Every structure is written in C-alpha cells, then in structure tokens.
Amino acid sequence: MEGPTGVVFPKTDAGRSTSALGRAVVADALRAADPVGARSAEHETNWRHGYLGHFRRLVEAGLLSRDAAVAIARDGLASLHRRMTVVRDDGTEIGLDQLFTTEAGDAPLDTATVTGTGDPDRELTLPYRGRRLRGDELLRRLDAWVTAGVVEPSCAEAVRAVAANPDWLDLRDQRVVVLGAGAEMGPLPSVLRWGGDVVAVDLPRPEIWRRLLQTAHRYGGRLHVPVPAGTDDAALAEHAGADLLHRLPQVADWLLGVDGRLVLGNYVYADGATNVRVATAVDALTRHLQERRDDVALAFLATPTDVFAVPGDAVRHAERGYAARGVLRRSLRAASGGRLLHRNYPPDADPGVNDSLVPQQGPNYALAKRLQRWRATVARDAGATVSFKVAPPTRTRSVLRNRALAAAYAGAHRFGIEVFEPATSNTLMAALLVHDLRTGAPAQPHPWQDEAYGAAHGGLWRVPYAPRSALGLAVLLGLGGART
C-alpha cells in the first residue's frame, strides 16, 4: 500500500499536509483566548517560515490568565486529537480517538526483565568535563551555573535537595516508563545506576536494544522490556521493542498491566514530520493510560529552543549584561542596522518572553514539543503529578547532524551560553525528575511559572541578546570548531 500507515496527518486537497495541520491546530488553540491571533495563524501563507510568530503568540496569549493558558493547551490538544487519523495495515482509516475502541488485532506483548549485576549507586554524582562531580564539588558547580545564568536558581535548589537526600535515588517504588528508551537525553542510565526499575519502550531495532541491555547488565537496577510471547532470553535484543506509530493499542495494554506506580516519561524524537506523528501517538497513549489508571505521573523534557515566559529576575540578569556590553558588540549592532544583537527583553518586563525558536528546526519540531507542554499543563491542572523540565542545549547526535546547529552550538559560548554533553544533561535531568517525584514540585500560580521552575536553559534566558539575533554570528564563530 502506498503512503504511510499508523498515526498519520489528515488528508487535505493537497495531500497529507503538515503545514495545514500546524496552522489549524495553532489557530484552534488560540481561538478562545486570542481570536485575532487565531485568524492570523489560519491565514499564514508561508507556514514553513512564518510559524515563529504564531508559536510566540501561543505563549503571550496564555499570559493573560491561568484560565487562558489552560484553555490554549486544552483546545490545542483537542484539535490535534480531532484531526489526526490512523491508517491500519489493511488500508482502512479511522480517527485517532477510535484507535483504542477497535480490535487491536496484534498478539499481546510479554515482558522480559533484565536484572543488573552492579551495586546500586546511592550518591548523586554528575559527569562533567571528564570528571564525576560529587559532594562539595557538585554544589560549587551548581553555584557557578547560577552565577553565570546557565540554570535557574530553582534548578540548583532542587539538585541540592536530591544530593542532601540520597535515599530519594532509590526508585524501586516507582516504574519509570521511558518512551524513547534509547534517547540520549533520557533518564534510563541514571535510574538503572541508582537501582530503580525502568520500563523501556523503543523501536524494535536490535542495535538499540543491544546497547540498552549492556547498560542494564552493568548497573544495579532492573530493565523491563516488551517482547513477543515466547521470546528466548538469548534472542532478546533481536525481538525486543514496539513501534508506537503502528502498535499503540498493544503497547497501551502492556503498560496497563505493569504493577506499581507508573511514571510515564516522554523522550521520543524523530526527524521531520514523523516527529509530530510519534508525539501525537504518545499523547494518545498518555490520555488512554490516565483514563484507566489513577497512579500515572508524567515526565517531560522541554527543548530550550522554544518560547517561554521567564521570571523578572532573569530579565534583570540579561539587562545587566546588555548594559555592560563592549564597544565591539555595540558597533556590530550599529553596523548591521539593528538586525544583530537585539536586546533580549524590554526593560523591566516581568515576566519576560524569551524567544529562542530556531528556524532551522522547523514547524514540525515546534509543534511536537508544544504538544508535550500542553499535555503537561492540562494534566497538572487536573491534579496529576507532572515533572516538566527545560533541558539545556546539548550536543546530541540529532543536533550535530545539522551543520548550522552544530556550528551555532560550537560558537554559543561566545555569548554566555553553555552547551552540555549528553551524559551531563541526562544525569542532571534525571536528578530533577527524582526531586519532582519525591516532592511533587511546588505548585505555582500560573502554568508559565510551572514551566520555568527548575529550568536548565544553558543561559538562553539570561543572555543580553535575543537568541535569534545572535544566531548568525554564533554560526560564523563556530564553523571552525563545529564537530562533524
């Protein structure tokens, strides 16, 4: 059969258009809170390049009130679920919301459990620049990051709390589901190192599972893996895994049968339009599990290259840097006719709006990540435990494949932005997840404050310049040092 199967974009006169879907979902999300913004999104003729302002508007319209922010999230998700469809293996097409009400047709999944041979680590340590920081050295690094504006003070406070309570690292009372188990940014290695239980879901690709099984054997936790019935332990890597785009009901039934409190962690990623498809599949799975279990906590990692409302303290930090800028940077701004090195925020903004969207990542990436933010907002508003954390810029494989982004990351330090190695990022983010699971994370008056709490943005929120106005320079400065 021609065309994609599984979770797919809806048909339009132009085919299965990603731009049409993006315009419609953003417009529907804005309609109640910002009717003018909704009409603007609907009439955007060049979505591929014009999406940036509309995604910013989603954040700005939500600042009107808590109710406005929740309504935008709720309406955006409803639009997505109403529009996306599923093409089954036999070519029949059904609505996304019908997926779990029809016969799955697939054999149920069994569970294979791998118990590690290592001793659980009961001390929080952080890999950083060739060292493993612990104790006072870790605390000094947190202080240095706060001073430099690399992380929010609430991030450092949360990590300090975990370091001071090492018993929190024992996650045997949780079942940490890692969707996208092979992701570089996911918590799987740390949770296994600390002796916890990881329920791993990723594509049925032996190269992924060989790596994950090696990690599981090395550490002190337990890895629970979906496999077809009758799979032999010797052939585990060859048969493990499940495709969320095509076998969603099968995965849902498997997770419904997992004993213990579920922490549903969303770490999935795919290139291009597939990213929206898999993000939608995970959101459908999330809603299905929440409707059938009352013990589901959610975990998300947000990209720092998005639009966020940020605290007034971050704005003041950026303003001090802007006031202290050197002659060369003032001259560059003047010579460019004001196109380069814009001020990051209007003076005294509280909250400020940090727009770190990167055009090279495209509207599909922006929509996939925004869906996760919307689900976090709606779930938290309904009383669920949600760990939502802004992760730092990180040298992941997906970033380094893009030459412009790799160069920008290589030159970012010239503007006060720290780009992290994957091992540092995923350990730091795992520690923040532990904090939220053990404390519930403090309740905030507005969803933007929930998103800002504990953020490790790498400096993007506190640099003097609007990130896109420095992006071209960062690329030029980094071209010689970009990794290949």
Side-chain angles (χ1 to χ4, degrees), residues 5-7 86-90 99-100 104-109 201-204 226 241-255 281 285:
T5 58
V7 178
V86 178
V87 176
R88 310 198 74 156
D89 292 343
D90 62 5
L99 181 59
F100 297 107
D106 293 309
L109 293 165
V201 179
D202 211 317
L203 292 167
D243 186 339
L244 291 168
L245 282 179
H246 300 92
R247 299 293 177 259
L248 203 56
Q250 194 181 18
V251 175
D253 288 345
W254 182 65
L255 291 175
L285 173 66

Side-chain angles (χ1 to χ4, degrees), residues 14 21 151 170 178 217 223 253 324 368 439 461:
L21 185 279
V151 305
D170 184 355
V178 182
H217 283 298
L223 183 68
D253 288 345
T439 68
W461 292 7

Side-chain angles (χ1 to χ4, degrees), residues 66 380 384 386 435-436 439-447 449-450 453:
R66 178 184 182 85
R380 194 185 291 109
V386 176
H435 174 269
D436 290 349
T439 68
Q444 305 290 338
H446 192 287
Q449 293 164 309
D450 289 315
Y453 178 80

Side-chain angles (χ1 to χ4, degrees), residues 175-215:
R175 298 294 178 266
V176 181
V177 181
V178 182
L179 303 175
E184 289 180 271
M185 292 293 288
L188 181 145
S190 292
V191 175
L192 292 176
R193 174 190 288 274
W194 299 327
D197 281 73
V198 172
V199 180
V201 179
D202 211 317
L203 292 167
R205 293 178 180 170
E207 66 274 15
I208 294 174
W209 292 101
R210 280 192 286 269
R211 176 166 52 85
L212 296 180
L213 293 173
Q214 288 174 358
T215 301

Side-chain angles (χ1 to χ4, degrees), residues 104-336:
D106 293 309
L109 293 165
D110 273 357
T111 302
T113 298
V114 177
T115 301
T117 58
D119 293 326
D121 193 340
R122 291 289 180 259
E123 180 186 20
L124 179 61
T125 62
L126 184 70
Y128 186 70
R129 296 184 177 177
R131 299 172 54 82
R132 196 150 197 112
L133 307 184
R134 52 172 36 89
D136 289 344
E137 194 173 20
L138 171 60
L139 301 182
R140 287 194 296 272
R141 172 42 47 196
L142 294 171
D143 291 341
W145 278 337
V146 170
T147 299
V150 171
V151 305
E152 290 304 288
S154 54
C155 172
E157 291 166 8
V159 177
R160 288 190 198 101
V162 176
N165 294 275
D167 56 304
W168 288 0
L169 299 175
D170 184 355
L171 293 175
R172 286 176 295 180
D173 58 327
Q174 318 276 333
R175 298 294 178 266
V176 181
V177 181
V178 182
L179 303 175
E184 289 180 271
M185 292 293 288
L188 181 145
S190 292
V191 175
L192 292 176
R193 174 190 288 274
W194 299 327
D197 281 73
V198 172
V199 180
V201 179
D202 211 317
L203 292 167
R205 293 178 180 170
E207 66 274 15
I208 294 174
W209 292 101
R210 280 192 286 269
R211 176 166 52 85
L212 296 180
L213 293 173
Q214 288 174 358
T215 301
H217 283 298
R218 185 165 69 248
Y219 293 137
R222 295 195 304 170
L223 183 68
H224 306 280
V225 177
V227 293
T231 299
D232 186 275
D233 286 349
L236 196 53
E238 305 303 316
H239 299 286
D243 186 339
L244 291 168
L245 282 179
H246 300 92
R247 299 293 177 259
L248 203 56
Q250 194 181 18
V251 175
D253 288 345
W254 182 65
L255 291 175
L256 285 171
V258 172
D259 292 330
R261 183 199 192 194
L262 283 188
V263 180
L264 190 65
N266 184 348
Y267 306 98
V268 299
Y269 171 79
D271 290 332
T274 305
N275 202 19
V276 176
R277 295 171 61 204
V278 73
T280 300
V282 169
D283 195 69
L285 173 66
T286 301
R287 193 173 74 170
H288 183 74
L289 293 176
Q290 286 185 306
E291 289 171 349
R292 284 156 180 79
R293 295 184 61 147
D294 59 5
D295 62 346
V296 179
L298 304 183
F300 302 91
L301 289 186
T303 176
T305 52
D306 203 338
V307 183
F308 291 96
V310 307
D313 181 62
V315 174
R316 290 187 290 273
H317 188 130
E319 281 297 289
R320 289 192 295 271
Y322 191 80
R325 67 199 187 282
V327 173
L328 177 60
R329 294 190 179 185
R330 288 197 297 270
S331 300
L332 275 172
R333 175 159 171 73
S336 69

